[in-house]
C-alpha cells in the first residue's frame, strides 16, 4: 500500500472511542450527514455516544429538507433534539411558505433552538449558490425576530463576518439566549460576546495546533457561558483531524477544554453538560 493510499484510508477511518466522560451533551451536530437517515441509524449513533458519556445531542438543519428531517429524528429518539432554520448560505430559500413552516416547526416540543442562522461571507466568493450578504442579513433578522417571539434560543453561524454579525444582533435586539455555534473569533470578539451574555460553543477546532486565539477565547469564557459540540461530521478534534466525526468524539474536545481551563475532566463535563441542558432547556437524561 502506498503512502497516498494509507492517507486516504485514514481519512475514511473514524477515530477510536474515547474513554467515557459522563454528563456531556453535543450542542451541535448533523445526524443526517453522519449517516443517521433512519431511526435505526440514529439510534446506533446515539448509542455509541451514550456509551462514552454523551447523553443528549442537538441535531441541526441547513435547509428546509434537513429541518423537516431533524424534527423527525428528534421524535425517533428521546436523546435527540432539533434546531431548525436556514443556514445563511441558503437564505435565498426564505419566502412566505418557508417562514410559515419554520414557525410551525419551532412550536414542536422537540425543537430547542432557531438556527443555524447568521452570516457567512466565506462562501459568498467561493460558491455561485451562496446567498448574497444583503439577503443573508435580511434572513438573519427574521430568525432573530422568530427567536424573540417564541422565546427560543438562537443558534448562530458566523464565518468571516464577526463585526457585521454582532452589529445585526445589536440593531435587531438579541433574544434572551444567543449561542455562537463553533465559535471561531479571537479573544477580543469572545470578550465582546461574553460581555453581552452570549454563549460560546467550542468544537474540535479549538484542539488544532494553530488555534491559539481560540484557546485564548476558551480560557476567558465564563463557566456559565461555555458549550462543547462536534459539528459532526466535520471538525474532528486533534489528533484525528480530517477523519469522520460523530457525537461520540465530544469527550476529546471536552478533555482538551478542561486542560486549557485548568480544571478536572469531570468538572468540565458537568459544566458543559449542565450549560447545554439549561440553555436549551433539555430534560435530564
Amino acid at each position: 500500500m502506498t503512502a497516498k493510499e494509507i492517507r486516504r484510508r485514514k481519512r475514511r477511518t473514524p477515530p477510536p472511542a474515547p474513554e467515557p466522560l459522563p454528563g456531556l451533551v453535543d450542542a451541535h451536530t448533523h445526524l443526517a450527514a453522519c449517516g443517521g437517515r433512519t431511526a435505526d441509524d440514529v439510534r446506533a449513533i446515539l448509542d455509541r455516544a451514550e456509551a462514552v458519556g454523551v447523553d443528549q445531542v442537538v441535531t441541526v438543519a441547513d435547509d428546509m429538507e434537513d429541518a423537516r428531517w431533524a424534527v423527525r429524528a428528534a421524535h425517533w429518539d428521546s436523546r435527540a433534539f432539533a434546531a431548525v432554520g436556514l443556514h445563511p448560505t441558503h437564505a435565498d430559500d426564505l419566502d412566505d411558505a418557508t417562514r410559515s413552516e419554520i414557525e410551525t416547526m419551532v412550536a414542536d416540543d422537540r425543537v430547542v433552538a432557531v438556527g443555524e442562522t447568521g452570516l457567512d461571507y466565506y462562501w459568498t466568493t467561493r460558491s455561485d449558490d451562496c446567498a448574497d450578504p444583503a439577503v443573508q442579513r435580511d434572513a438573519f433578522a427574521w430568525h432573530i425576530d422568530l427567536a424573540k417571539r417564541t422565546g427560543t434560543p438562537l443558534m448562530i453561524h458566523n464565518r468571516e463576518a464577526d463585526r457585521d454579525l454582532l452589529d445585526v444582533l445589536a440593531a435587531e435586539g438579541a433574544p434572551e439566549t444567543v449561542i455562537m455555534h463553533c465559535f471561531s473569533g479571537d479573544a477580543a470578539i469572545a470578550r465582546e460576546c461574553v460581555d453581552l451574555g452570549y454563549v460560546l460553543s467550542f468544537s474540535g477546532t479549538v484542539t488544532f495546533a494553530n488555534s491559539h486565539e481560540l484557546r485564548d477565547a476558551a480560557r476567558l469564557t465564563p463557566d456559565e457561558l461555555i458549550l462543547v459540540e462536534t459539528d459532526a461530521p466535520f471538525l474532528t478534534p486533534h489528533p484525528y483531524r480530517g477523519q469522520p466525526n460523530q457525537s461520540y468524539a465530544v469527550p476529546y474536545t471536552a478533555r482538551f477544554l478542561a486542560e486549557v481551563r485548568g480544571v478536572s475532566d469531570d468538572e468540565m463535563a458537568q459544566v458543559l453538560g449542565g450549560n447545554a441542558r439549561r440553555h436549551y432547556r433539555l430534560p435530564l437524561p
Side-chain angles (χ1 to χ4, degrees):
M1 186 179 294
T2 67
K4 184 176 181 180
E5 288 170 334
I6 292 171
R7 288 194 298 272
R8 187 180 297 118
R9 175 175 289 185
K10 182 180 178 182
R11 286 196 297 271
R12 294 195 300 263
T13 304
E19 288 295 315
L21 186 58
L24 291 166
V25 174
D26 187 352
H28 184 117
T29 187
H30 298 267
L31 288 176
C34 292
R37 280 293 178 182
T38 69
D40 287 344
D41 293 336
V42 167
R43 186 180 306 110
I45 292 169
L46 298 184
D47 284 349
R48 192 175 190 189
E50 187 176 21
V52 297
V54 184
D55 299 315
Q56 295 163 311
V57 309
V58 178
T59 190
V60 183
D62 284 350
D63 58 22
M64 291 307 296
E65 181 181 352
D66 270 359
R68 296 176 193 117
W69 179 89
V71 176
R72 289 198 299 271
H75 282 276
W76 287 340
D77 196 298
S78 63
R79 296 167 293 185
F81 299 85
V84 297
L86 286 176
H87 189 285
T89 57
H90 296 294
D92 286 325
D93 295 339
L94 189 65
D95 56 21
D96 288 345
T98 55
R99 288 184 183 94
S100 177
E101 188 172 0
I102 292 170
E103 289 182 354
T104 298
M105 290 177 182
V106 171
D108 190 294
D109 61 5
R110 302 297 298 172
V111 172
V112 297
V114 171
E116 57 187 284
T117 181
L119 300 175
D120 190 319
Y121 291 173
Y122 176 85
W123 285 111
T124 55
T125 59
R126 293 170 173 83
S127 171
D128 293 336
D129 297 328
C130 181
D132 180 82
V135 176
Q136 292 186 31
R137 287 192 286 273
D138 288 344
F140 184 26
W142 181 82
H143 284 82
I144 293 170
D145 178 66
L146 175 61
K148 289 193 293 187
R149 284 189 283 116
T150 59
T152 308
L154 182 72
M155 182 186 287
I156 299 290
H157 172 98
N158 170 28
R159 194 164 187 186
E160 299 185 2
D162 291 345
R163 185 73 270 143
D164 283 359
L165 186 137
L166 292 176
D167 286 349
V168 172
L169 277 168
E172 298 296 325
E176 180 180 353
T177 302
V178 174
I179 297 169
M180 296 295 200
H181 134 67
C182 191
F183 182 77
S184 59
D186 59 19
I189 293 294
R191 176 70 67 189
E192 187 169 349
C193 287
V194 299
D195 285 348
L196 291 165
Y198 299 165
V199 181
L200 306 189
S201 184
F202 291 91
S203 70
T205 53
V206 73
T207 72
F208 296 171
N210 60 348
S211 295
H212 306 292
E213 291 185 334
L214 267 185
R215 289 190 278 281
D216 289 341
R219 288 187 190 96
L220 67 81
T221 305
D223 278 354
E224 66 272 15
L225 295 178
I226 190 168
L227 295 177
V228 67
E229 64 173 81
T230 57
D231 199 18
F234 315 107
L235 308 181
T236 314
H238 176 82
Y240 307 106
R241 184 176 182 177
Q243 295 173 236
N245 199 8
Q246 277 192 14
S247 293
Y248 76 87
V250 167
Y252 288 119
T253 305
R255 286 191 168 95
F256 188 87
L257 288 170
E259 181 179 354
V260 165
R261 292 166 66 87
V263 300
S264 72
D265 294 350
D266 288 340
E267 180 182 348
M268 191 77 258
Q270 294 309 305
V271 166
L272 294 167
N275 284 345
R277 293 183 183 96
R278 184 174 72 258
H279 292 304
Y280 286 126
R281 302 167 198 152
L282 307 182
L284 290 173

